[in-house]
Amino acid sequence: QNYLDNFWPDLKAAHELFDSILQARRERESESQENNGKEYAEHLPVEILEAGIKSGRYIQGTLNVNKHRAQLEAFVRLQGFGSKETG
């Protein structure tokens, strides 16, 4: 804000962009506080997920995403198994 005020006081588009970014950041922080500091809201409560994993309804694994081809290549490594399930 100081940089814009001191060096570009007449550049209205930059000031509007800064204000927009600042507002978006405040909204994100507000949402994060509502979710107890979590960036994303949980889809199911932890208790239901744990019960589903124990009963076999859900599986637990680790999602691995290729950082170079993230939209095209990923796989899930199931816990307790050495195999890969692709998807």
Side-chain angles (χ1 to χ4, degrees):
Q1 180 72 44
N2 290 338
Y3 175 80
L4 290 175
D5 290 340
N6 292 328
F7 295 101
W8 302 99
D10 299 329
L11 192 57
K12 185 176 180 179
H15 286 273
E16 289 174 358
L17 177 61
F18 178 81
D19 292 339
S20 174
I21 292 170
L22 187 61
Q23 181 181 355
R25 183 176 175 195
R26 287 179 182 154
E27 288 174 6
R28 187 174 182 189
E29 289 173 354
S30 174
E31 290 172 1
S32 179
Q33 288 175 354
E34 290 173 7
N35 293 328
N36 297 324
K38 297 176 184 171
E39 188 171 347
Y40 300 101
E42 296 176 357
H43 293 281
L44 293 173
V46 175
E47 298 81 23
I48 293 175
L49 290 175
E50 289 174 347
I53 291 169
K54 287 180 183 177
S55 70
R57 180 174 182 186
Y58 302 126
I59 57 173
Q60 185 173 3
T62 304
L63 175 65
N64 294 290
V65 180
N66 183 333
K67 68 180 178 180
H68 303 290
R69 302 179 66 200
Q71 295 190 359
L72 301 174
E73 192 172 312
F75 65 90
V76 175
R77 184 180 310 271
L78 301 178
Q79 290 189 339
F81 296 97
S83 65
K84 296 179 184 175
E85 224 180 83
T86 58

